[in-house]
Amino acid sequence: MSETALIERIAARGDGVTGDGRHVAGGVPGDQIAADGTLIPGPNRAEPPCRHFGKCGGCELQHVAEPALADFVRDRVVGALAGQEVPVGEVLPALLSPPQSRRRAALTALRTGKQVAIGFNAAQSNQIVDMRQCPLLLPELFALIAPLRDLLTTIAQQKRPVKVKLQMLDQGVEVTLEGVKAEGLDAAMALQDFAGTHKLARFAIDQGHGLETLWQPEPPTVCFGEVTVEVPAFSFLQPTTAGQAALVDAVAKAIGDAGAVADLFAGVGTFALSLQKGRKVYAAEGARDAIAALKASANRVGALVATEHRDLFRRPLIPAELNRFGAVILDPPRAGAEEQVAQLAASDTPVIAYVSCNPASFARDAKLLVGGGYTLDWVQPVGQFRWSTHVELAGRFSK
């Protein structure tokens, strides 16, 4: 072994990796490993901003300085494509969401005696790290942690986990609690008082019999472009507004001035409604409540958006359908869209804008598209889950 070994990159799970392939927990590019295993800090280290770092599983990379963090996000995409031997015209510099910008979070709470712990799970564990600080969440979300801890002392069952879902909407914060027991007048009044005191946009609980909305002064909404959508409870939204803007901008750049566009896995309309102006859009989504919300909003503003409730895994669009469009937007779940991609690869669709939250499944699908005659022109990496190994991206394919 040489006197020192240089850490050259960060692996997919957050370990530092030396040139000879050794993985070093907590290593950062530029660090050196001495012959006795001691880590010698390099220029790319940062002071973690959170007291829970190292224990909480919400962040793995707070010790990495901003330039190296951006390089990691970009390198995840480069590495995934290289692993599938997919050629790419350009991988752009990564765009990172800033601290305190996460607008949605799913936490866990546990009551033990008179104490309630609430937060993310510890790394690779079911243990809850009781959140007393969080540089990830929007301040409006974090401000509810202590009040929720107090509330759950009355409605959380002993030693039974409660799912706590928080999301920022136009009217304020939406709170969903799953696995609570709110029986009796005192509990009902406590819930109403909590919602009113904190001016929630919506408050819903699930006591084991389905979700029940307790508080909703007006229909909760979110805006995409110029269109306001009334969203179902804890609808999927991009985790940060900065990340959403980066992905919408990348998709807009990819599809250009295409007059007819298909948005597949459209959700509540992040892309279909943001980009509908001046074009016709077909939007397909397997979640019934999401596509219903998209349809209602498009109809209200007179947008040329045709919607279909369709399971794209079991019934993907076939080439004869895809060939009607000048561009296709694809935003599948983490597992990717192998069934739909196989149909796209056989189509003559000129442009595909593929949005992904998993570089590995994106690279697998990209290989199918390239095999079908497409060229991967460019990829835009996006780091919405700041200080995490979770990476998102948007890429443009052309034929």
Side-chain angles (χ1 to χ4, degrees), residues 90 92 248-256 378 380 396:
E90 183 180 12
L92 299 166
V248 169
D249 287 349
V251 170
K253 175 185 172 184
I255 66 174
W378 50 260
Q380 173 63 72
R396 182 185 194 270

Side-chain angles (χ1 to χ4, degrees), residues 4-5 15 48-49 53 65 84 99 123 127 150 152 189 212 218 240 248 256 278 286 304 308 319 326 353 360 385 393:
T4 62
D15 293 341
F53 179 67
Q84 293 287 350
Q127 181 184 358
D150 293 339
L152 289 170
M189 293 301 293
E212 176 187 4
E218 58 182 296
T240 69
V248 169
L304 296 177
E308 183 179 9
F385 290 85
L393 61 96

Side-chain angles (χ1 to χ4, degrees), residues 136-213:
L136 283 178
L137 300 184
L138 281 172
E140 295 90 337
L141 299 190
F142 181 73
L144 289 171
I145 299 300
L148 279 167
R149 191 180 286 113
D150 293 339
L151 175 67
L152 289 170
T153 61
T154 63
I155 62 171
Q157 300 178 78
Q158 288 286 345
K159 297 184 178 180
R160 293 196 176 183
V162 175
K163 281 295 178 186
V164 180
K165 297 179 178 179
L166 308 173
Q167 182 156 258
M168 176 60 74
L169 302 175
D170 293 342
Q171 292 76 17
V173 181
E174 169 188 38
V175 176
T176 302
L177 302 177
E178 299 175 1
V180 296
K181 282 294 180 184
E183 298 174 340
L185 180 60
D186 288 346
M189 293 301 293
L191 292 170
Q192 290 288 329
D193 288 346
F194 181 89
T197 298
H198 298 287
K199 298 181 174 61
L200 299 184
R202 174 163 49 209
F203 193 18
I205 66 170
D206 187 342
Q207 302 184 71
H209 307 292
L211 205 60
E212 176 187 4
T213 299

